[in-house]
Amino acid sequence: MQLREIEVGLEAYECPKSGGLWIPLQSYLAWKERQPQATVAPVESCAPVLQDDSRQRALVCPESGRLLLRYRVGHGLQFHLDRSPATGGVWLDKGEWEALKSKGLHVALHLIFSAAYQRQLRTSEYVQRLTETFRDRIGAADFSKVAEFAAWLVGHPKRRDICCYLLDRPNDSSRVYNTSYCR
């Protein structure tokens, strides 16, 4: 591995064979301290930048010899970051630093490993899958009406009463209470 500067004041070790980078935690933290304060935008879905690497084998920390832990990045980036549980150093495959920079995540790299960030990512992906599932089940035209109604309902002060009415109202054709809400 060869030491090189990947940003002004940020040194990392580059693998001459793969082009991957090992960023020691202390090197990153010292560099980050000198950067302007950055905030990470909410997780959003975007077109992927790099190839999905979810089937890649586990990597070994070059400092401690322990297996690296994998963390999803989100923000439309389909790759994972590998971090040492022992040293806090991070392994980036070739091109991943540039992809992180394109989303402004390079100055908030440490946040990607937090439970809060990973939870926000899972929640965002769940909402996206839920929306896609019901758009397919309901149909695009009707789904847009349902989404518009849902947006109105969220802010309504009587939303609980409205939901109860919708679920408990008699079926118009038989005048019997409808108990098959989700077929």
Side-chain angles (χ1 to χ4, degrees):
M1 301 257 272
Q2 300 168 340
L3 190 62
R4 81 170 182 94
E5 194 172 63
I6 60 172
E7 296 290 326
V8 175
L10 176 57
E11 291 187 332
Y13 293 91
E14 182 176 32
C15 175
K17 189 174 183 180
S18 70
L21 298 170
W22 175 254
I23 304 175
L25 176 62
Q26 293 308 317
S27 179
Y28 175 77
L29 291 177
W31 172 80
K32 188 195 168 327
E33 289 254 335
R34 296 185 300 272
Q35 303 307 305
Q37 200 64 353
T39 58
V40 177
V43 176
E44 58 189 43
S45 59
C46 306
V49 173
L50 292 178
Q51 197 171 27
D52 180 5
D53 67 352
S54 59
R55 296 180 188 256
Q56 181 181 347
R57 292 186 353 210
L59 301 175
V60 176
C61 173
E63 293 179 79
S64 69
R66 293 185 58 188
L67 289 179
L68 301 179
L69 300 177
R70 302 185 60 136
Y71 296 83
R72 294 191 336 228
V73 177
H75 290 271
L77 303 175
Q78 299 300 312
F79 59 86
H80 293 74
L81 295 181
D82 300 285
R83 182 174 184 247
S84 172
T87 69
V90 179
W91 175 261
L92 302 172
D93 290 332
K94 184 177 183 175
E96 289 179 349
W97 180 255
E98 291 76 16
L100 291 168
K101 281 181 68 173
S102 76
K103 302 288 184 176
L105 295 172
H106 66 302
V107 293
L109 189 62
H110 61 294
L111 296 177
I112 292 172
F113 309 114
S114 71
Y117 182 95
Q118 292 297 311
R119 187 173 37 258
Q120 180 188 21
L121 180 59
R122 285 189 305 275
T123 300
S124 175
E125 290 173 349
Y126 169 77
V127 168
Q128 183 178 358
R129 276 191 230 111
L130 183 73
T131 300
E132 290 170 2
T133 298
F134 281 99
R135 182 179 290 120
D136 290 345
R137 289 175 78 174
I138 296 169
D142 286 339
F143 182 79
S144 66
K145 293 177 190 174
V146 171
E148 183 180 332
F149 175 74
W152 170 81
L153 184 62
V154 164
H156 199 285
K158 301 277 187 174
R159 67 182 161 275
R160 287 184 62 121
D161 294 332
I162 295 168
C163 289
C164 287
Y165 170 75
L166 290 173
L167 293 174
D168 293 337
R169 72 185 186 92
N171 183 329
D172 293 333
S173 62
S174 65
R175 296 285 181 208
V176 176
Y177 285 97
N178 183 359
T179 58
S180 59
Y181 305 128
C182 299
R183 292 183 203 197

